[in-house]
Amino acid sequence: TEAKALTRKLEDFRNLFDYVSDIILVAKAPSYQLIEVNQQAINQLGYSKDELLQCTLKDIDPVQFPETDMIVSMDQKMSPLNITLRTDLLKKDKTSIPVEMNVNFVYQDAELRIVGVARDLTDRLLAEEQKIKSSLMQTQKLAALGQLVGGVAHELKSPLTAIRNYITNLRQTTESPDGEKEAIAFCLEGLEKNSLRMTKIVDHFRHFGRRSAEVVEIIELNSFVDESVAMIRHIFVNSDIELSILKNHEILKIAADSNQLEQVFLNLVVNAKDALQKANRKSIQIVVLKTALATVSLLVEDSGPGVSEVLRDKIFEPFFTTKGVGQGMGLGLSISYTIIKECRGGLICRDS
């Protein structure tokens, strides 16, 4: 009965050992030869159990375990030792798994055993990377918004002037003894129309600047270009840059996040404007094209000097910029590249 109970406990322990979600590796010292592994180690490292038991810990982690040689050579009378490592485990196919490994050095029957318990960090690191990427996108978006915020005053100036004129006319009409209802109605209609226009302008800037979850929707590309250009047209008012738009005669629809797509578009147009500072002929042309294989292209072309061949392969790298100190963070094109690359097979490229 005692033997059966012991066998059952051993089976229970084996089940717990095999099906725990972490990788467990047990080795003997000083050879680092693996003497026991659990099922999770077999599944994630891609070896069979027999193959793993022919490996050493240095085969699985060639970076960290040579650093533990000093510990292995210490006096056998030392107390059990525990260290935590952030490392990468090498799989059979030579790819690696990022892990946090808790390593225990313990003596059993006067023999040193090394027990490594490793937790896969892949999902956590991907989540952290996505969080950083989202923060960078928001930072760059707010920087772009800072450049455009002067346009709020410019865009609101026209409807505010119209509203003041309507108010003046309305006051004169109501003060007149023969004030006409038609004139009052006309003024009220003008007030409503221009106040709605102001609301739309403010909402557009507010929507662009806020952090929001990705929302994929159907976008008509010609209308999208018109609305986006309206947001930034003021930056060309006092410049000698000729801005032209060549739209497609067809209705071209794409599935994308309008907020993210607008961020890309504004980055490209603002970069094109900055590239024209020393150009003799200054022009930007925005072209909407229907291309082969049911795809569409949105081109932003400028008459600037272009980018030298030495730098062309670097322009989409984070924090790379050809602008002077304080004139750019080097994030705009990098973030634009990331947005388009993740946009259902989208492609962003440069010609020169």
Side-chain angles (χ1 to χ4, degrees), residues 25-40:
L25 306 168
V26 183
K28 58 183 179 181
S31 66
Y32 291 98
Q33 182 65 47
L34 289 171
I35 57 175
E36 191 58 82
V37 296
N38 71 339
Q39 189 62 42
Q40 193 68 12

Side-chain angles (χ1 to χ4, degrees), residues 46 90 118 129 141 166 179-180 197 252:
L90 198 61
E129 180 183 351
K141 185 192 293 186
Y166 282 124
E180 299 178 0
R197 181 182 170 190
L252 302 178

Side-chain angles (χ1 to χ4, degrees), residues 25-37 49-60 65 112-115:
L25 306 168
V26 183
K28 58 183 179 181
S31 66
Y32 291 98
Q33 182 65 47
L34 289 171
I35 57 175
E36 191 58 82
V37 296
K49 183 172 184 177
D50 289 340
E51 288 172 332
L52 270 177
L53 295 181
Q54 293 176 20
C55 297
T56 69
L57 280 175
K58 293 184 179 183
D59 295 325
I60 305 301
F65 278 98
L112 181 60
R113 296 285 184 263
I114 305 171
V115 181

Side-chain angles (χ1 to χ4, degrees), residues 127-262:
E128 290 175 357
E129 180 183 351
Q130 187 59 40
K131 185 176 180 180
I132 292 172
K133 188 186 297 181
S134 176
S135 295
L136 284 174
M137 287 175 62
Q138 184 67 11
T139 298
Q140 195 277 328
K141 185 192 293 186
L142 292 176
L145 191 61
Q147 292 181 290
L148 302 175
V149 74
V152 176
H154 183 274
E155 292 294 328
L156 294 181
K157 184 177 180 180
S158 178
L160 280 172
T161 300
I163 286 174
R164 285 197 299 269
N165 290 335
Y166 282 124
I167 290 173
T168 300
N169 292 336
L170 189 60
R171 183 180 293 114
Q172 292 173 349
T173 302
T174 55
E175 290 175 353
S176 172
D178 57 344
E180 299 178 0
K181 290 184 179 180
E182 291 80 4
I184 294 175
F186 175 79
C187 290
L188 290 175
E189 183 181 349
L191 288 171
E192 181 181 28
K193 180 180 178 181
N194 281 276
S195 64
L196 288 174
R197 181 182 170 190
M198 291 170 63
T199 300
K200 185 177 180 181
I201 292 169
V202 173
D203 284 348
H204 195 159
F205 276 89
R206 185 174 61 181
H207 175 69
F208 176 73
R210 71 187 178 196
R211 185 191 298 268
S212 58
E214 181 181 359
V215 178
V216 177
E217 56 189 327
I218 301 301
I219 300 170
E220 202 289 302
L221 208 53
N222 289 311
S223 299
F224 166 81
V225 169
D226 284 339
E227 293 173 5
S228 298
V229 168
M231 187 176 178
I232 59 170
R233 190 176 287 277
H234 69 279
I235 67 176
F236 297 98
V237 170
N238 295 318
S239 73
D240 53 353
I241 298 173
E242 179 186 350
L243 177 66
S244 60
I245 303 173
L246 183 59
K247 294 186 287 187
N248 197 278
H249 65 279
E250 296 184 46
I251 295 177
L252 302 178
K253 295 182 179 181
I254 61 172
D257 182 302
S258 61
N259 194 287
Q260 291 185 356
L261 192 62
E262 186 168 50

